[in-house]
């Protein structure tokens, strides 16, 4: 049975052909094995129930983000570093 997929860009098709050739598979075999496995993984992730984060997990994440922001702010407040030539010649 022939199946046509509309809207697939030429670059995408070329990449799929190259990937299939690398593993010595036809395009059909590659889709059946690799693309199907990828899509099944995506679907099972989407269907998996997401547990709410615990208050402690949220607190740790907020602390990490705060440290990151403070580090960035501290670096922005530092005077610009002198280049090698400025350090050598004092300019």
């Amino acid at each position: 049975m022939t199946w046509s997929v509309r809207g697939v860009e030429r670059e995408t098709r070329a990449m799929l052909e190259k990937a299939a050739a690398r593993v010595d598979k036809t395009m059909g075999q590659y889709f059946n094995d690799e693309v199907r496995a990828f899509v099944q993984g995506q679907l099972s992730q989407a269907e998996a129930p997401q547990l709410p984060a615990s208050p402690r997990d949220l607190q740790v994440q907020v602390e990490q983000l705060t440290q990151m922001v403070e580090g960035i702010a501290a670096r922005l407040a530092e005077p610009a570093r002198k280049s090698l030539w400025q350090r050598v010649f004092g300019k």
Side-chain angles (χ1 to χ4, degrees):
M1 175 188 339
T2 302
W3 181 48
S4 176
V5 181
R6 293 182 189 159
V8 177
E9 297 173 359
R10 288 184 183 175
E11 184 179 332
T12 303
R13 181 180 171 93
M15 291 172 64
L16 287 168
E17 287 174 343
K18 190 179 216 177
R22 279 190 179 168
V23 292
D24 198 29
K25 293 182 180 181
T26 66
M27 288 279 287
Q29 290 169 328
Y30 189 82
F31 260 82
N32 284 329
D33 298 340
E34 308 298 326
V35 175
R36 183 179 183 176
F38 174 78
V39 171
Q40 283 177 330
Q42 294 291 312
L43 290 173
S44 56
Q45 282 181 354
E47 293 170 359
Q50 298 293 321
L51 298 175
S54 72
R56 177 67 185 139
D57 291 340
L58 292 175
Q59 181 182 2
V60 168
Q61 289 177 351
V62 167
E63 289 170 359
Q64 290 172 342
L65 289 171
T66 301
Q67 289 174 355
M68 288 173 54
V69 170
E70 288 173 348
I72 292 169
R75 279 180 273 172
L76 289 174
E78 291 177 1
R81 295 183 183 207
K82 293 182 179 181
S83 70
L84 173 65
W85 296 112
Q86 289 172 328
R87 289 186 301 230
V88 171
F89 297 109
K91 292 185 177 184

